[in-house]
């Protein structure tokens, strides 16, 4: 069976799903979003967004035009408006009398805790802003942030936003090489890092990766600010390295936020695409903040006076940007931030935290849900989870079984589950049920949010009828849309706007069911989704080929019960290289070094040949069949039909 047929089958099974969960009357009665919001958005058009922008944010200068799309696909939202992100996330809550409300409950992996009220967090951000300015960082400069999940990560991002510096957060799981290429691409002036963090009960280091990244001359970094987190010894370079506690703690807590243009760059976040080099996705201020606040409030039914929100994502990913740093704080939310892994020191850690902090809204990824499902119902059953009232999922399609488990075991069979579809590029949620309104279906993200225009189209760009599948597209510009790829406007047009006329192509396959609800079917390009993390097959192939023992490599994402997909690599060695266990370990480590541990292939298979068409294109579809243990599909277009047999033989060895 071919891969497409196989997917088709899985799809049919999914669409047999007919369980439906209407919101309870009590929930609906007090819900933030009322059903009329859909009609309002439709009738108001872009003015709907103007209203959201004015209601949700405090502008220094009001904007004069909601959307300028004259230079499409380069959008300008809220033209003429000026706004400061940090002021909106912090100072204004203090000015409005909510300074004593908790902004962040921090729980470290070893169990140390810190609490920041809005007043305290504002003060910390002002100090950090002064400290960064004293290092010569000013508006428009880029700052690389390589930090674990500690409050200083949020403080750093907001301090940058406050002074108009552009943050570029690099996930702590990326390697020194990956960090350096991101520093170089953005020409970062400052790096903010920590000595390390705690991982699975042990100190783990970060600073050595920064040292390694900056070893080679020719970079643009003039200072490295280091947070002391785990106290492990670090190498120190005088004139470059500075302790956070030396420069931030002593800085003045007076700092006036200057408003920035609505289109001033807020951050760059690198993400994998279909080619080898990660793309620096650029987001700007007014539109991103508006949609972050709007989605956070409506999708999670946020009641800032009483909710405790917990998004488990790391700030190294877009989810951590929009639903840890920006959305929650803009809305004056109390949130939990947890540094560590879910099974340290025991598999009930998350539920212990939910009980301890009375978390009412939980937002996590299907891979985590499936892992906890595997650990067993008895673990969450030991804790009081009665505070939970809304459950969110993000990052990859959620299978109906995991959805049902999430609702039943974590949500006491009543908390609505919102499956939110979006991307680094979209900046904020685009497709999701609204709790209190939508009758939810396990496994479907269902409906575009009010104000968002999503469709599923065929090869020719025609909208498909209900019951059919195709490509997910976005038809109208949206406020938090990416404004481009850092330094590469052509690649921006080419990647997202060339596949279909006047539509944004997301790279995802999707299907409309009989009711017109949307089911996401995974990527249709060479992007893989491993535990909700985006990785490119080409990027890993390039990493493999950069090793002297490798002649050629092909990488596929193979279906995996827990992580969604797993990286499987097929390599041809160079003549002199020996095929043994050592080479597999060497190559896995090499990928870890080039990209980061998350990209290490689960399996590497040394093969004599790769299946190629007569024009030399690798048929990854066939390799995927092998990797997923299926019978190999139609191989009639192969240049050499015996190749697949050879691969199957090396597989058996
Ligand atoms: O394939 C889709 C998948 O994750 C991709 C975006 O990855 P990234 O930019 O890293 O952002 C992840 C967090 C927003 C999408 O192209 N994806 C994300 N959310 C969902 C999803 N697939 C199905 N259902 C979702 N809810």
């Amino acid at each position: 069976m071919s891969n497409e047929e196989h997917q088709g089958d899985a799809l049919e099974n999914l669409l047999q799903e007919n369980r439906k969960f209407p919101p309870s009357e009590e929930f609906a009665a007090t819900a933030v979003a009322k059903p009329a919001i859909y009609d309002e958005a439709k009738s108001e058009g872009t003015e709907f967004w103007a209203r959201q922008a004015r209601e949700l944010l405090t502008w220094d200068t009001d904007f004069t035009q909601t959307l300028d799309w004259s230079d499409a696909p380069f959008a300008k939202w809220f033209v003429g408006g000026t706004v400061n992100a940090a002021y909106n996330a912090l100072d204004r809550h203090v000015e409005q009398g909510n300074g004593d409300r908790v902004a962040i409950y921090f729980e470290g992996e070893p169990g140390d805790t810190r609490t920041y009220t809005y007043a305290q967090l504002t003060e910390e951000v002002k100090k950090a802003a002064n400290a960064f300015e004293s290092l010569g960082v000013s508006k428009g400069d880029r700052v690389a942030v390589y930090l674990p999940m500690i409050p200083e990560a949020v403080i750093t991002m907001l301090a940058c936003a406050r002074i108009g510096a552009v943050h570029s957060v690099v996930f702590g799981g990326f390697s020194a090489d990956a960090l350096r290429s991101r520093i170089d691409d953005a020409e970062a002036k400052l790096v903010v890092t920590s000595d390390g963090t705690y991982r699975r009960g042990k100190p783990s280091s970060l600073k050595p990766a920064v040292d390694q990244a900056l070893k080679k001359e020719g970079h643009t970094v003039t200072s490295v600010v280091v947070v002391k987190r785990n106290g492990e010894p670090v190498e120190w370079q005088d004139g470059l390295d500075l302790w956070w506690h030396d420069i931030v703690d002593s800085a003045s807590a007076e700092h006036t936020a200057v408003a920035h243009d609505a289109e001033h760059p807020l951050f760059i976040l690198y993400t994998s695409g279909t080619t080898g080099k990660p793309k620096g996705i650029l987001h700007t201020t007014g539109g991103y903040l508006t949609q972050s606040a709007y989605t956070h409030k409506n999708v999670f039914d946020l009641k800032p006076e009483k909710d405790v929100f917990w998004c488990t994502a790391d700030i190294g990913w877009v989810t951590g940007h929009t639903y840890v740093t920006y959305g929650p704080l803009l809305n004056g939310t109390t949130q939990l931030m947890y540094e560590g892994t879910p099974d340290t020191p025991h598999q009930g850690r998350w539920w212990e935290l939910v009980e301890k902090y009375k978390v009412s809204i939980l937002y996590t990824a299907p891979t985590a849900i499936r892992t906890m499902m595997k650990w067993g119902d008895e673990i969450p059953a030991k804790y009081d989870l009665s505070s939970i009232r809304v459950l969110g999922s993000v990052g990859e399609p959620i299978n109906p079984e995991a959805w049902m488990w999430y609702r039943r075991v974590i949500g006491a069979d009543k908390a609505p589950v919102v499956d939110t579809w979006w991307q680094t590029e979209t900046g904020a949620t685009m497709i999701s049920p609204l709790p209190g309104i939508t009758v939810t279906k396990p496994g479907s993200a269902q409906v575009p949010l009010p104000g968002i225009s999503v469709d599923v189209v065929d090869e020719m760009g025609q909208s498909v009828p209900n019951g059919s599948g195709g490509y997910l597209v976005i038809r109208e510009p949206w406020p938090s849309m990416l404004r481009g790829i850092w330094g590469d406007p052509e690649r921006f047009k080419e990647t997202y706007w060339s596949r279909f006329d006047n539509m944004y192509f997301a790279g995802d396959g999707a299907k409309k069911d009989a009711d017109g609800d949307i089911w996401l079917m995974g990527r249709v390009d060479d992007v893989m989704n491993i535990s909700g993390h985006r990785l490119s097959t080409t990027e890993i192939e390039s990493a493999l080929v950069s090793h002297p023992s490798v002649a050629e490599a092909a990488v596929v994402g193979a279906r995996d019960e827990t992580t969604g997909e797993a990286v499987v690599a097929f390599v041809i060695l160079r003549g002199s290289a020996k095929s043994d266990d050592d080479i597999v370990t060497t190559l896995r480590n090499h990928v870890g070094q080039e990209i980061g541990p998350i990209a290490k292939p689960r399996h590497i298979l040394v093969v004599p040949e790769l299946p190629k068409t007569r024009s030399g294109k690798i048929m990854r579809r066939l390799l995927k069949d092998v990797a997923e243990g299926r019978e190999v599909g139609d191989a009639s277009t192969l240049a050499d039909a015996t190749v697949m047999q050879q691969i199957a033989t090396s597989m058996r060895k």
Side-chain angles (χ1 to χ4, degrees), residues 171-241:
F171 176 55
F174 280 127
S175 66
D177 286 2
L179 172 63
R180 174 63 185 261
S181 69
R182 286 156 174 79
I183 288 173
D184 286 350
D185 189 72
E187 299 175 286
K189 193 170 195 176
L190 171 69
V191 178
V192 184
T193 189
S194 70
D195 50 1
T197 177
Y198 294 92
R199 227 54 217 147
R200 300 188 197 285
K202 288 197 293 268
S204 105
S205 59
L206 270 180
K207 171 81 166 43
V210 178
D211 297 341
Q212 175 71 24
L214 299 182
K215 214 175 208 162
K216 218 171 81 210
E217 303 272 293
H219 60 76
T220 45
V221 176
T222 53
S223 319
V224 176
V225 173
V226 188
V227 177
K228 194 175 224 156
R229 171 63 190 139
N230 64 15
E232 292 286 293
V234 286
E235 277 183 32
W236 208 249
Q237 198 174 328
D238 289 329
L240 185 71
D241 295 335

Side-chain angles (χ1 to χ4, degrees), residues 271 317-319 363 393-398 419-426 431 445 506-508 520-523 527 529 532-534:
T271 190
W317 308 103
V318 75
T319 310
Y363 191 34
S393 173
V394 62
E396 54 181 312
I398 177 164
D419 173 15
T420 63
W421 178 90
W422 59 294
Q423 308 178 294
T424 306
E425 291 88 340
T426 69
I431 310 176
D508 281 47
L520 278 311
M521 306 308 303
R523 302 286 304 197
V527 172
N529 195 322
H533 297 157
R534 216 165 126 171

Side-chain angles (χ1 to χ4, degrees), residues 299-356:
V299 170
F300 298 114
D301 188 52
L302 184 78
K303 315 268 169 42
E305 324 72 47
K306 46 184 188 205
D307 275 317
V308 177
F309 177 78
W310 183 21
C311 166
T312 66
D314 190 282
I315 44 118
W317 308 103
V318 75
T319 310
H321 282 59
T322 309
Y323 301 108
V324 176
T325 302
Y326 290 103
L329 297 176
L330 289 168
N331 288 331
T333 315
T334 296
Q335 70 174 318
L336 171 63
M337 184 175 194
Y338 172 56
E339 177 187 31
T341 38
D343 53 354
T344 307
H346 55 79
Q347 294 178 333
R349 185 69 190 269
W350 274 20
W351 314 120
E352 183 180 81
L353 292 175
V354 167
E355 176 180 296
K356 176 173 173 187

Side-chain angles (χ1 to χ4, degrees), residues 391-437:
L391 294 169
S393 173
V394 62
E396 54 181 312
I398 177 164
N399 45 313
E401 202 193 340
W403 193 104
M404 290 298 296
W405 184 86
Y406 198 28
R407 183 185 153 99
R408 180 174 58 79
V409 178
I410 307 304
D413 233 346
K414 59 173 197 256
V417 175
V418 287
D419 173 15
T420 63
W421 178 90
W422 59 294
Q423 308 178 294
T424 306
E425 291 88 340
T426 69
T429 298
M430 303 292 279
I431 310 176
S432 168
L434 285 180
I437 304 179

Side-chain angles (χ1 to χ4, degrees), residues 49-361:
W49 289 117
R51 191 155 63 79
Q52 300 303 328
R54 292 191 178 107
E55 279 174 20
L56 294 163
L57 303 181
T58 306
W59 294 78
D60 273 53
T61 324
D62 193 14
F63 46 89
T64 49
Q65 188 185 0
T66 303
L67 169 67
D68 177 359
W69 192 228
S70 59
D71 186 26
F74 298 93
K76 288 197 185 82
W77 280 89
F78 312 125
V79 182
T82 66
V83 65
N84 186 286
Y87 172 82
N88 273 272
L90 299 166
D91 310 44
R92 65 169 175 158
H93 302 308
V94 181
E95 288 168 13
Q96 288 160 7
N98 292 320
D100 292 338
R101 184 184 294 168
V102 172
I104 297 178
Y105 286 120
F106 168 71
E107 175 101 12
E109 198 188 75
D112 56 320
T113 59
R114 279 189 259 168
T115 299
Y116 290 86
T117 62
Y118 272 90
Q120 289 165 334
L121 196 63
T122 307
E123 187 162 303
E124 288 305 313
V125 168
K126 287 180 174 175
K127 285 183 176 179
N130 280 321
F132 296 170
E133 280 181 334
S134 74
L135 298 175
V137 177
S138 55
K139 185 166 176 169
D141 286 341
R142 274 81 60 204
V143 175
V145 183
Y146 191 62
L147 280 170
M149 279 302 279
I150 55 176
E152 285 82 355
V154 172
I155 294 167
T156 297
M157 291 162 83
L158 290 172
C160 289
R162 192 172 188 95
I163 59 185
V166 184
H167 56 72
S168 164
V169 181
V170 180
F171 176 55
F174 280 127
S175 66
D177 286 2
L179 172 63
R180 174 63 185 261
S181 69
R182 286 156 174 79
I183 288 173
D184 286 350
D185 189 72
E187 299 175 286
K189 193 170 195 176
L190 171 69
V191 178
V192 184
T193 189
S194 70
D195 50 1
T197 177
Y198 294 92
R199 227 54 217 147
R200 300 188 197 285
K202 288 197 293 268
S204 105
S205 59
L206 270 180
K207 171 81 166 43
V210 178
D211 297 341
Q212 175 71 24
L214 299 182
K215 214 175 208 162
K216 218 171 81 210
E217 303 272 293
H219 60 76
T220 45
V221 176
T222 53
S223 319
V224 176
V225 173
V226 188
V227 177
K228 194 175 224 156
R229 171 63 190 139
N230 64 15
E232 292 286 293
V234 286
E235 277 183 32
W236 208 249
Q237 198 174 328
D238 289 329
L240 185 71
D241 295 335
L242 298 152
W243 284 113
W244 174 284
H245 55 257
D246 284 341
I247 63 155
V248 177
D249 291 358
S250 57
S252 158
E254 295 297 317
H255 187 278
T256 309
V258 179
H260 305 294
D261 190 90
E263 283 299 339
H264 181 67
L266 182 62
F267 67 86
I268 306 168
L269 183 59
Y270 288 83
T271 190
S272 295
T274 49
T275 60
K277 192 171 164 261
K279 304 173 283 202
I281 302 299
L282 173 66
H283 283 286
T284 59
T285 308
Y288 173 81
L289 297 180
T290 299
Q291 199 172 326
S292 298
Y294 163 79
T295 52
H296 180 255
K297 176 180 155 198
N298 289 290
V299 170
F300 298 114
D301 188 52
L302 184 78
K303 315 268 169 42
E305 324 72 47
K306 46 184 188 205
D307 275 317
V308 177
F309 177 78
W310 183 21
C311 166
T312 66
D314 190 282
I315 44 118
W317 308 103
V318 75
T319 310
H321 282 59
T322 309
Y323 301 108
V324 176
T325 302
Y326 290 103
L329 297 176
L330 289 168
N331 288 331
T333 315
T334 296
Q335 70 174 318
L336 171 63
M337 184 175 194
Y338 172 56
E339 177 187 31
T341 38
D343 53 354
T344 307
H346 55 79
Q347 294 178 333
R349 185 69 190 269
W350 274 20
W351 314 120
E352 183 180 81
L353 292 175
V354 167
E355 176 180 296
K356 176 173 173 187
Y357 293 101
K358 301 197 168 31
V359 171
S360 56
I361 307 170

Side-chain angles (χ1 to χ4, degrees), residues 484-514:
I485 294 175
W486 186 256
D488 203 344
E490 274 316 304
R491 192 171 170 203
F492 168 61
K493 286 203 235 174
E494 161 72 31
T495 312
Y496 306 103
W497 303 92
S498 65
R499 179 73 180 76
F500 302 108
D501 280 345
N502 305 318
M503 287 182 245
Y504 170 88
F505 174 47
D508 281 47
K511 184 146 182 174
K512 293 180 191 166
D513 68 13

